[in-house]
Amino acid sequence: MPVHRPGSVRPRRFLPAGLLLAALSLVLTVPASAAPTTATTSTDATAPARGSAHMGMGVVAHDGQGGVPAGTRAVQTEGVDVSGHQGDVAWQTLWNSGVRWAYTKATEGTYYRNPYFAQQYNGSYDVGMIRGAYHFATPDTTGGAAQADYFADHGGGWSKDGRTLPGVLDIEWNPYGDACYGKTQSAMVTWIRDFLNRYKARTGRDAVVYTATSWWTQCTGDYAGFAAANPLWIARYASTVGTLPAGWSYFTMWQYTSSGPTVGDHDKFNGALDRVVALANG
């Protein structure tokens, strides 16, 4: 048997050609599922699929739910909001029940477009409703301006026809991870400002801001600077809207339940139908 002596060089040993080819084959055929995840794929096995988020998705889990609005002397016009998870919507049934306005999810991030958008957006219009589109924000994936462009390019535009409402920025709890999308409060305010500024530059309209007071407090630090220009759509599943986010002294729209008939997500516009038309006209 050869003995290795200090200072001598060990002889090199090589794999036989057949074994070397087999090893290379294993490396080159690693399944795609083993590849690193992309920005549009959640790394949390319990998180929903990217693109499936919708308005009010986190309200019950974070804020709970109580009753529904009682009868009031204030005139409020019934509306609904829909997204891809509702599929084709029975718009005539909703119209017959008194619903007069609707919002449809158009986009999410810069990676998702609602495949039911045409049926939902055009279907509501065809039965006589005043309708608009909303964007589900994901500030952890791309910048605010980029998402505003994506939204405006894929259903979030506006025209002064008396039937098209301004676009909505849906900014709420992150269903795919950290509630504030990993951003500091100041960074979140900057992201929202970038979105709103770009949307107005693209469409000529100030976007509506949809949010919940507790999320706004946690993730923007009670920032009050958007209230002067951007109408508020408040999410609160209770008999009253409760405390509004900083800066806003009144709400324009209120999502008050996710358990309505026909379509779960129901809303109140804070005024009669002529005020809905006024918002549409700008």
Side-chain angles (χ1 to χ4, degrees):
M1 176 181 296
V3 177
H4 177 67
R5 295 180 177 83
S8 64
V9 179
R10 287 183 183 273
R12 294 182 179 177
R13 296 184 180 182
F14 299 92
L15 284 173
L19 290 176
L20 180 59
L21 288 173
L24 286 171
S25 175
L26 285 173
V27 171
L28 294 173
T29 56
V30 174
S33 61
T37 56
T38 67
T40 59
T41 303
S42 172
T43 57
D44 184 350
T46 64
R50 283 278 181 180
S52 64
H54 55 87
M55 193 174 273
M57 192 170 185
V59 172
V60 174
H62 291 87
D63 283 351
Q65 60 182 335
V68 294
T72 174
R73 282 177 282 182
V75 176
Q76 295 182 331
T77 308
E78 191 76 7
V80 296
D81 57 272
V82 299
S83 65
H85 82 282
Q86 275 129 347
D88 289 340
V89 174
W91 290 111
Q92 190 62 56
T93 300
L94 285 166
W95 176 266
N96 294 345
S97 72
V99 173
R100 292 296 179 262
W101 59 276
Y103 268 97
T104 295
K105 179 182 178 182
T107 51
E108 177 178 319
T110 52
Y111 52 81
Y112 173 84
R113 296 168 61 185
N114 176 7
Y116 292 93
F117 181 76
Q119 192 277 344
Q120 295 175 348
Y121 189 74
N122 296 330
S124 55
Y125 182 92
D126 290 344
V127 298
M129 293 183 192
I130 302 169
R131 49 79 163 111
Y134 78 85
H135 174 79
F136 192 95
T138 56
D140 58 336
T141 60
T142 45
Q147 292 195 27
D149 280 332
Y150 189 77
F151 178 44
D153 289 340
H154 299 106
W158 174 79
S159 59
K160 190 172 182 178
D161 58 4
R163 299 280 302 281
T164 304
L165 293 160
V168 172
L169 171 63
D170 177 359
I171 185 78
E172 57 177 295
W173 298 277
N174 178 10
Y176 311 118
D178 175 72
C180 300
Y181 301 86
K183 291 193 174 296
T184 64
Q185 292 172 341
S186 61
M188 181 62 75
V189 170
T190 297
W191 192 99
I192 294 169
R193 182 183 297 113
D194 289 346
F195 182 100
L196 297 176
N197 287 345
R198 181 62 65 86
Y199 184 79
K200 184 169 185 178
R202 288 291 307 273
T203 67
R205 290 300 306 272
D206 288 302
V208 175
V209 173
Y210 168 97
T211 196
T213 301
S214 61
W215 183 90
W216 194 262
T217 300
Q218 176 186 355
C219 299
T220 75
D222 280 331
Y223 182 75
F226 300 125
N230 301 96
L232 173 66
W233 189 347
I234 187 68
R236 178 68 171 160
Y237 297 171
S239 58
T240 64
V241 296
T243 303
L244 299 179
W248 282 283
S249 59
Y250 64 93
F251 68 92
T252 297
M253 290 171 280
W254 169 22
Q255 186 190 52
Y256 67 88
T257 186
S258 60
S259 304
T262 310
V263 166
D265 297 345
H266 273 245
D267 310 90
K268 299 286 186 185
F269 191 95
N270 196 8
L273 185 60
D274 66 319
R275 303 317 303 158
V276 185
V277 174
L279 179 62
N281 283 325

